[in-house]
């Protein structure tokens, strides 16, 4: 899967690794950056590597919650209501520019992302498995955007910033896409039915007590840091550990190392934190705070983290 995605998204292997890790850890992914850097291309490339049902939503200010979840339509011939499912009824849901929709529409995804189901007119409908939301958003400083509320940001396992590629990677992109579209040639390497099996393998990866305490030390440090007004939730601890297990499994290991946790600390933690006004005026951001916490938190000894 990583090899296929990297044939489309060039020069950013860490970005691809975390994207696949979120899928295997059964989380959801938020991609944030300015337009044109490849956020939607990354989401599409991930979807194309899996032979499954893909839904796409282009978020706009006039989008309604029912446009996502579906509606009940009255059939005069049968005198009954028929449920017409929306685009969230897919294995991978690509949400383009999620922060251009109103908060009411954004909140329609909360139940879907957390519980794998949606309720329409009092009836609960179970979403297909696997279920992954890959949402893109533009920076909140751009015109026509709404900042995602804290409760919704906390539903995303990781947030990635795509960034601009370096000169060599951008040159390779130009050469690859000058006369052809590599995304159109990208073939599936697995199917949707296999993803839950992969996820069970990831869940079975061993995490020692020392590693779990290290995860909790990082998360707890965000709750008492003077530059943060809101620290990470207990959900963060669970998702950081699950994502670390996925990275360990992708590296061919049956146990988690502190390196795996450090590798994911910023993508998993930063978007959930709210920094104080004083820290923001001083030029600090959440990612820098997380990096400082990682640098200051003692790392458990290697022999205490390996599987015996």
């Amino acid at each position: 899967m990583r090899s296929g995605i990297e044939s489309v998204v060039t020069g950013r292997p860490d970005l691809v690794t975390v994207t696949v890790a979120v899928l295997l850890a059964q989380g959801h992914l938020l991609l944030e950056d300015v337009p044109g850097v490849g956020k939607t291309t990354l989401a599409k490339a991930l979807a194309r590597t899996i032979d499954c049902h893909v839904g796409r939503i282009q978020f706009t200010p006039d989008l309604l919650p029912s446009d996502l979840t579906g509606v009940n339509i009255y059939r005069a011939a049968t005198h009954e209501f028929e449920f017409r499912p929306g685009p969230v009824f897919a294995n991978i849901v690509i949400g383009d520019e999620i922060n251009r929709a109103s908060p009411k529409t954004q909140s329609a995804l909360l139940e879907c992302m957390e519980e794998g189901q949606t309720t329409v007119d009092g009836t609960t409908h179970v979403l297909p498995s696997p279920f992954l939301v890959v949402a893109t958003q533009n920076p909140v400083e751009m015109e026509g955007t709404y900042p995602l509320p804290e409760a919704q940001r906390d539903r995303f396992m990781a947030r990635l910033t795509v960034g601009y590629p370096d000169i060599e990677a951008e040159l390779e992109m130009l050469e690859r896409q000058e006369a052809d579209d590599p995304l159109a040639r990208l073939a599936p390497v697995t199917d949707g039915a296999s993803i839950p099996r992969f996820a069970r393998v990831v869940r079975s990866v061993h995490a020692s007590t020392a590693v779990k305490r290290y995860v909790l030390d990082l998360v707890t440090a965000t709750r008492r840091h003077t530059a943060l007004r809101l620290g990470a939730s207990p959900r963060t601890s669970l998702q950081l550990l699950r994502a670390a297990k996925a990275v360990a499994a992708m590296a061919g290991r049956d146990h988690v190392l502190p390196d795996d946790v450090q590798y994911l600390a910023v993508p998993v933690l930063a978007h959930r934190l709210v920094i104080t006004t004083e820290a923001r005026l001083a030029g600090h951001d959440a990612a820098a705070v997380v990096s400082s916490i990682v640098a200051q938190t003692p790392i458990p000894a290697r022999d205490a983290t390996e599987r015996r």
Side-chain angles (χ1 to χ4, degrees), residues 83-264:
F83 178 65
R84 182 71 61 84
V88 295
F89 284 83
N91 298 114
I92 296 180
V93 177
I94 301 174
D96 244 349
E97 299 182 309
I98 187 173
N99 59 336
R100 289 201 183 278
S102 66
K104 181 178 181 180
T105 302
Q106 292 174 4
S107 66
L109 279 177
L110 289 179
E111 183 183 10
C112 302
M113 296 170 64
E114 183 66 19
E115 301 176 29
Q117 65 182 32
T118 184
T119 303
V120 179
D121 293 340
T123 302
T124 299
H125 304 273
V126 179
L127 299 174
S129 178
F131 178 69
L132 168 72
V133 174
V134 182
T136 71
Q137 72 168 352
N138 295 326
V140 293
E141 294 83 6
M142 298 193 70
E143 186 176 353
T145 60
Y146 300 83
L148 289 181
E150 292 82 357
Q152 185 155 343
R153 293 203 306 267
D154 198 43
R155 297 304 200 279
F156 288 98
M157 177 173 282
R159 181 190 65 181
L160 295 174
T161 301
V162 178
Y164 293 108
D166 57 35
I167 295 298
E168 293 301 320
E170 196 161 1
L171 177 61
E172 183 181 355
M173 180 196 71
L174 292 177
E175 292 177 346
R176 284 185 179 183
Q177 301 188 23
E178 184 177 9
D180 194 11
D181 182 8
L183 187 62
R185 293 186 287 103
L186 187 58
V189 297
T190 187
D191 55 24
S194 299
I195 300 302
R197 178 165 56 87
F198 299 156
R200 287 193 294 271
V201 173
V202 167
R203 291 284 184 98
S204 69
V205 171
H206 175 70
S208 67
T209 302
V211 167
K212 293 176 183 175
R213 288 190 179 277
Y214 182 57
V215 169
L216 293 177
D217 287 344
L218 293 176
V219 172
T220 303
T222 66
R223 299 170 187 166
R224 55 172 181 258
H225 199 284
T226 56
L228 297 177
R229 185 162 52 87
L230 177 67
S233 67
R235 181 190 286 117
T236 310
S237 307
L238 183 60
Q239 294 198 347
L240 179 56
L241 183 61
R242 287 179 178 174
K245 286 186 174 186
V247 169
M250 292 165 67
R253 281 185 275 106
D254 66 348
H255 61 280
V256 180
L257 295 177
D259 293 351
D260 303 322
V261 179
Q262 291 182 334
Y263 181 71
L264 293 160

